[in-house]
Amino acid sequence: MKKMALVLQGGGALGAFEYGVVTKLVELGWQPVAVSGVSIGAVNAAAIAGAKDGDIVASLHAMWDAITLPTLPWMPAAMQGNLSLLGNPNFWRARTDFLDIMSWTSLCSTDPMYETLSRRLDFAQINNEKHMRMAVTATNLHTGGPTTFSNHLTRQAHVDADNHTALRAQITPAHIMASGALPPGFPAARIDDNYYWDGGMFSNTPIDAMLNLLEPEELDTLPIFVVDLFPTAGQPEPKNMLEVQTRATALQYQNRFWAEYGGSAGLAGFISMLEELDQELPAKSPLRKRAAFEWLSRLRALKNIRIIESAPAPAGGDHDFSQYGVRKACEAGRSAVVKHFEHTLQQPAKLRAAA
């Protein structure tokens, strides 16, 4: 088995694309040793790390079977994507306590998903870092920044940077639900004395969380698959209000990670600079012992990132939990993996070795 790490974005029902990507990777002989996720990506991450008997494909099948709505035979398939707006029996249900409507802070209850996670996943295994390292990220309502909960933190982890906190925690369904508590639909999740909303509201690509999971010997070699659910480049101008809303959502949750590194030199230039800095800095320099340098040196793992990109999200695709929508997204994810490796094989040998 070939070892890999997985970074899984949020995107509601678009997470079925991740479901397809991961099942195809596993079938091709890839074995995740670390996974970080946000929102539905956190649900997928939990299904991967908490797969009963270690069967990741079966676990993802079971999870998505539970949260996929049954087909109504009298309704056209393309029209069934909006049914989840009325509720999803194993995920959420609409509130009916209308006498208390003035004090509502959410439109739905997510109690069904707590039960789904508890019943279908092995949380003892999720919390076993020797089985698989895992992290999920939520947005702390009290700080306005992200908090990552994980079953493992490497010694050089970035645990407290301004309002970004990384905590080693005993992960429960509440931590998974905190990562996916998207307002105003879903209620904030309480953990200890803090309340949390969806982690994607701050950053929808939890690469920082992944860097906190990696051990020093993995930084230069472990492939990191990032599933990008919201590609935004090269798309035409929206033509109606539904397309406007779809594009606005994509822009809100797109991958912004690359903008932080390299400036005009891009990620490749940034990695090259890190390698040159490591060569030029004396081995006994006190700078090497500083936490800032240790974190900077961890960023060389970014050279191992492999992006598997979905097609632009269809209008309403983030809430299409119909059998038709989930099956289509899953198959698209599987096809994207095949295309990724076909593209890799077409590259020159030097680039192929780096990939």
Side-chain angles (χ1 to χ4, degrees):
M1 299 290 283
K2 297 164 287 189
K3 294 181 179 180
M4 66 173 173
L6 291 166
V7 177
L8 304 176
Q9 291 184 340
L14 301 176
F17 181 86
E18 296 174 335
Y19 159 38
V21 166
V22 177
T23 54
K24 186 63 177 180
L25 285 171
V26 171
E27 289 169 4
L28 290 175
W30 291 88
Q31 176 64 34
V33 295
V35 56
S36 65
V38 163
S39 198
I40 196 66
V43 173
N44 283 332
I48 293 164
K52 294 182 178 180
D53 300 320
D55 192 335
I56 292 172
V57 172
S59 182
L60 284 167
H61 281 324
M63 179 59 65
W64 279 91
D65 183 63
I67 62 177
T68 298
L69 296 174
T71 298
L72 296 181
W74 48 268
M75 180 180 287
M79 295 178 61
Q80 301 204 25
N82 290 326
L83 289 176
S84 65
L85 297 175
L86 303 176
N88 187 321
N90 291 318
F91 204 144
W92 70 85
R93 60 173 176 265
R95 295 182 63 166
T96 57
D97 54 331
F98 298 110
L99 294 178
D100 297 324
I101 194 169
M102 297 305 295
S103 62
W104 283 12
T105 57
S106 68
L107 300 174
C108 304
S109 166
T110 52
D111 288 348
M113 191 56 165
Y114 281 85
E115 183 179 348
T116 297
L117 292 167
S118 298
R119 184 175 67 252
R120 294 184 177 273
L121 303 182
D122 185 340
F123 276 85
Q125 184 172 278
I126 284 175
N127 286 290
N128 180 4
E129 62 183 303
K130 294 181 179 179
H131 168 72
M132 190 181 301
R133 286 158 276 159
M134 174 187 161
V136 297
T137 301
T139 301
N140 188 319
L141 268 65
H142 305 280
T143 68
T147 297
T148 295
F149 304 99
S150 61
N151 65 3
H152 173 83
L153 288 173
T154 188
R155 187 181 65 82
Q156 299 90 356
H158 220 187
V159 296
D160 192 3
D162 294 325
N163 59 353
H164 187 173
T165 303
L167 301 174
R168 184 163 181 177
Q170 187 76 12
I171 296 174
T172 68
H175 294 89
I176 311 303
M177 295 309 298
S179 185
L182 184 64
F186 294 166
R190 180 177 180 178
I191 298 174
D192 298 325
D193 294 325
N194 292 297
Y195 286 86
Y196 298 89
W197 272 343
D198 193 296
M201 299 181 71
F202 188 93
S203 175
N204 201 39
T205 311
I207 296 178
D208 278 344
M210 174 54 64
L211 294 176
N212 279 338
L213 297 178
L214 299 180
E215 295 301 336
E217 63 272 14
E218 297 172 324
L219 296 176
D220 290 309
T221 58
L222 183 67
I224 304 171
F225 289 93
V226 178
V227 184
D228 187 1
L229 297 179
F230 293 98
T232 56
Q235 297 186 44
E237 178 184 353
K239 297 297 191 297
N240 54 56
M241 290 302 295
L242 185 58
E243 290 184 4
V244 167
Q245 180 59 46
T246 302
R247 180 70 61 80
T249 299
L251 290 171
Q252 180 180 358
Y253 293 111
Q254 68 178 316
N255 181 5
R256 295 184 176 88
F257 193 81
W258 311 128
E260 300 180 27
Y261 301 104
S264 60
L267 182 61
F270 180 75
I271 296 299
S272 177
M273 181 274 296
L274 289 180
E275 293 173 344
E276 292 176 21
L277 179 62
D278 186 59
Q279 293 172 5
E280 295 291 332
L281 193 64
K284 295 184 179 180
S285 171
L287 288 176
R288 291 185 178 274
K289 296 182 180 180
R290 293 188 183 181
F293 182 84
E294 288 185 338
W295 177 255
L296 187 64
S297 68
R298 296 189 69 75
L299 294 176
R300 68 184 189 272
L302 299 179
K303 66 185 177 183
N304 304 321
I305 284 178
R306 306 181 181 189
I307 298 177
I308 297 182
E309 187 177 276
S310 72
D318 58 345
H319 61 255
D320 185 358
F321 284 90
S322 69
Q323 290 185 355
Y324 171 80
V326 168
R327 182 171 61 251
K328 183 177 179 180
C330 179
E331 288 303 317
R334 294 176 62 84
S335 296
V337 172
V338 174
K339 291 179 182 178
H340 171 81
F341 288 110
E342 287 177 347
H343 176 70
T344 300
L345 289 173
Q346 293 169 2
Q347 294 177 339
K350 184 176 179 180
L351 294 177
R352 197 161 61 241

